[in-house]
């Protein structure tokens, strides 16, 4: 089996530097520098390679950070457990400017599986491990109370992203 090369690209955002990773055809990671679960091992990655996917995601982010809906996300390829992939698929369906709760995600998964209950805490753990933040909008997940709980990039960044999308988010 051939080993896939991983390429990285840095993007300067209003929230700080972002590292984007790709296998040359899809985005495999997008992290705000300094966030928890910054899972890429940059050593051994090829940097500064011009890839069409990096141009595409940079254009998407440029539009996003102007406070506009950038539309469909560029191609992503995410690796995780089957449960994480299930949660991340739900995240991808949350529209720009909308919110969803951890409980709502848990209820969607429980219904799909034909069971009565799913742990919102397990959902929260999967959301927190999302390797393609912003594109796969884990920042749009809030507590049932509306509270801005957890965000690998920091709650202040989560607040900024939601404000950018038109939510009136106040300090706790």
């Amino acid at each position: 089996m051939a080993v896939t090369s991983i390429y990285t690209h840095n993007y300067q955002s209003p929230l700080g530097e972002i590292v984007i990773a790709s296998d040359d055809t899809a985005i495999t990671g997008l992290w705000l520098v300094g966030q928890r679960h910054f899972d890429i091992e940059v050593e051994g990655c090829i940097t500064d390679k011009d890839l069409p996917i990096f141009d595409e995601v940079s254009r998407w982010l440029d539009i996003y950070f102007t406070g506009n809906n950038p539309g469909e996300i560029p191609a992503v390829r995410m690796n995780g457990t089957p449960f994480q992939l299930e949660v991340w698929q739900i995240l991808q369906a949350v529209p720009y400017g909308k919110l969803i709760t951890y409980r709502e995600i848990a209820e969607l998964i429980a219904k799909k599986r034909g069971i009565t209950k799913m742990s919102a805490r397990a959902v929260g753990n999967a959301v927190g491990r999302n390797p393609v933040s912003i594109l796969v909008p884990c920042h749009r997940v809030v507590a049932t109370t509306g509270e801005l709980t957890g965000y690998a990039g920091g709650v202040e960044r989560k607040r900024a992203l939601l404000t950018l999308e038109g939510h009136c988010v106040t300090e706790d």
Side-chain angles (χ1 to χ4, degrees):
M1 183 167 95
V3 175
T4 303
S5 294
I6 297 295
Y7 306 93
T8 61
H9 174 76
N10 291 350
Y11 176 89
Q12 293 300 321
S13 84
L15 300 179
E17 187 174 4
I18 292 175
V19 175
I20 306 165
S22 174
D23 60 6
D24 193 15
T25 59
I27 299 301
T28 57
L30 190 149
W31 302 272
L32 291 152
V33 170
Q35 80 174 52
R36 284 184 321 218
H37 311 303
F38 186 9
D39 289 336
I40 188 163
E41 295 202 19
V42 184
E43 191 173 318
C45 290
I46 301 166
T47 57
D48 299 325
K49 181 172 180 185
D50 289 330
L51 298 177
I53 192 75
F54 288 148
D55 293 337
E56 184 181 350
V57 76
S58 293
R59 279 190 302 277
W60 191 96
L61 290 168
D62 287 346
I63 295 167
Y64 180 82
F65 283 116
T66 64
N68 293 295
N69 183 347
E72 188 175 331
I73 66 169
V76 297
R77 182 171 297 109
M78 302 170 76
N79 292 314
T81 67
F83 179 72
Q84 288 171 331
L85 293 171
E86 194 171 10
V87 169
W88 300 338
Q89 182 177 27
I90 292 169
L91 293 180
Q92 290 179 65
V94 179
Y96 177 90
K98 301 294 182 188
L99 299 176
I100 191 168
T101 67
Y102 297 98
R103 179 180 293 165
E104 288 171 325
I105 294 172
E107 289 170 352
L108 287 169
I109 292 171
K111 183 177 180 180
K112 180 180 172 190
R113 292 181 175 190
I115 58 176
T116 57
K117 191 171 183 177
M118 171 60 60
S119 166
R121 183 175 299 239
V123 166
N125 287 334
V127 168
R129 285 296 198 166
N130 170 16
V132 185
S133 64
I134 303 174
L135 293 178
V136 177
C138 51
H139 61 279
R140 296 181 189 147
V141 184
V142 296
T144 304
T145 61
E147 185 180 352
L148 302 185
T149 58
Y151 183 63
V155 174
E156 63 288 338
R157 286 175 169 162
K158 182 174 189 167
R159 182 177 286 107
L161 293 168
L162 293 176
T163 300
L164 195 68
E165 293 186 22
H167 290 280
C168 182
V169 184
T170 59
E171 297 287 329
D172 296 331

